[in-house]
Amino acid sequence: MQSRLEEVKDPSAARISSSRPFPVRLLQFFLLFLVIGIGASFLSMYMIRHFGIHNVALVQSTFRPCFQTPGTIESFIMPPVNLMHKMNDTELFWRASFDTRIKDYPFRRVPKIAFMFLTKGPLPMAPLWEKFFKGHEQLYSIYVHSLPSYTPDFPPSSVFYRRHIPSQVAEWGMMSMCDAERRLLANALLDISNEWFILLSESCIPLQNFSIIYRYISRSWYSFMGAVDEPGPYGRGRYEDSMAPEINISDWRKGSQWFEINRKLAIRIVEDSTYYPKFRDFCLPHKCYVDEHYFQTMLTITMPHLLANRSLTYVDWSRGGAHPATFGKDDIKEDFFKRILVDQTCIYNGQPTSTCFLFARKFAPNALEPLLDIAPRVLGI
């Protein structure tokens, strides 16, 4: 009894006697963890000092977050800086066929005209075109398709400097000619600001100043491509029954190779895989010339309501033969241009007009000097 009372009188002593000692094994575990951590730190410092920090950075650079900061809108709308890309035609046409469904652009878009030159090599009329383009740098783009063997030598001050695209051989009357035209369209479509597309040759000249041409094209309700249902051996006579059912003889059209079309039609041409095989396989020279029928027939079938059914490029076939007339220095007179610029009648946006042609061909290289002389007075250039 006495011993129990003594235990109750000193409760603190009872608590001390009942407490458990600190586990030795847990203390050993903490010490081992601490040693390993300190050792790893020293090892890391040793490797960085002797092997360089770049190896560590290389490991870190492989990490990719689940969510990346999206690029700005400018990264999507900026035109290609270098036209000499490494895409093949299949890749190029696929990329160029992209289109926006929402036409209210979330940025200030200035619509441009893409001037596409299909050439063999040099551009003898380049000095005249330089004068034509001067002062309108925000309203146009230039693309040149030449023979792959040709090396351009334009100076950095020229509007044609570095405007050549990856090209292939284009033969007259062959599908390779239309391939070259599609290639020009596809490269021009990569610039989202290009709204209108004009096909020109090295022998083409402008017949009006830039402001008039821009206003004429931008205000037109239609695109300009001739597409005529022509009877006889040089029209319907070139049709092959093997083209049916995709192309029937009632669909067959003929027109000038030189066109001006809007962005919607340009995409339609580039993305086509339905009509291309038919023309490639059955429109063969010397019976059928594909550049006079392919685009004209395809667009008549798919989008006839968008065509003005005439070309903006003047060509003289009055002398006969397989090729149009070529104009030299002796032809460059004011009366010559009066016949083209004034003595004409056509329909523009439902109204008759005498301004039917904005470009003309074919001009020989020796016509350049008289053209430069007469251009300010007659062409307003």
Side-chain angles (χ1 to χ4, degrees), residues 66-312:
C66 295
F67 300 97
Q68 294 184 351
T69 304
T72 61
I73 187 67
E74 286 76 12
S75 64
F76 294 97
I77 66 175
M78 289 296 292
V81 177
N82 185 7
L83 298 185
M84 298 302 291
H85 55 75
K86 296 185 181 299
M87 289 185 284
N88 59 37
D89 281 353
T90 301
E91 295 166 339
L92 173 64
F93 296 163
W94 176 82
R95 174 63 185 85
S97 65
F98 291 0
D99 192 21
T100 56
R101 295 298 185 100
I102 301 176
K103 295 306 180 182
D104 292 331
Y105 295 93
F107 56 91
R108 183 176 179 270
R109 178 180 183 262
V110 179
K112 297 190 296 185
I113 299 176
F115 291 83
M116 308 179 303
F117 291 85
L118 179 58
T119 76
K120 294 180 179 179
L123 289 168
M125 297 297 143
L128 180 63
W129 284 105
E130 298 270 6
K131 294 183 65 175
F132 169 79
F133 287 120
K134 187 176 182 180
H136 304 281
E137 286 72 18
Q138 305 303 315
L139 298 177
Y140 70 85
S141 301
I142 295 174
Y143 303 86
V144 183
H145 186 292
S146 62
L147 291 174
S149 58
Y150 175 70
T151 302
D153 59 351
F154 294 104
S157 59
S158 172
V159 297
F160 296 101
Y161 181 67
R162 293 184 176 177
R163 301 311 299 175
H164 282 68
I165 66 170
S167 305
Q168 299 181 31
V169 174
E171 299 178 87
W172 179 73
M174 303 290 288
M175 198 63 181
S176 59
M177 183 68 72
C178 290
D179 290 337
E181 295 173 14
R182 296 177 81 202
R183 204 170 292 124
L184 279 164
L185 285 169
N187 279 276
L189 282 167
L190 297 182
D191 185 344
I192 198 171
S193 294
N194 286 332
E195 185 63 28
W196 306 283
F197 305 79
I198 301 173
L199 183 65
L200 303 160
S201 74
E202 68 266 38
S203 64
C204 284
I205 67 166
L207 293 175
Q208 305 281 358
N209 63 44
F210 186 94
S211 297
I212 291 176
I213 288 179
Y214 186 90
R215 184 165 60 249
Y216 193 99
I217 290 175
S218 62
R219 295 182 180 181
S220 174
W221 300 344
Y222 306 101
S223 289
F224 295 90
M225 178 178 289
V228 179
D229 182 5
E230 181 180 310
Y234 304 115
R236 288 197 173 198
R238 294 176 174 176
Y239 173 77
E240 286 286 341
D241 292 336
S242 301
M243 293 184 171
E246 289 83 2
I247 305 169
N248 297 308
I249 193 168
S250 59
D251 303 321
W252 191 251
R253 294 294 183 272
K254 179 182 179 181
S256 172
Q257 172 185 5
W258 314 103
F259 58 76
E260 179 279 320
I261 57 177
N262 64 22
R263 191 173 184 88
K264 185 175 184 178
L265 294 182
I267 293 175
R268 185 68 190 88
I269 289 174
V270 165
E271 71 181 6
D272 173 50
S273 60
T274 302
Y275 305 100
Y276 180 93
K278 295 293 184 178
F279 282 93
R280 179 196 59 205
D281 298 339
F282 303 112
C283 183
L284 305 173
H286 296 274
K287 179 186 177 182
C288 180
Y289 297 96
V290 67
D291 55 275
E292 295 181 352
H293 297 281
Y294 173 29
F295 299 158
Q296 297 83 348
T297 299
M298 180 189 69
L299 294 181
T300 296
I301 295 173
T302 58
M303 298 179 175
H305 59 289
L306 298 180
L307 299 179
N309 197 19
R310 64 181 178 91
S311 174
L312 294 178

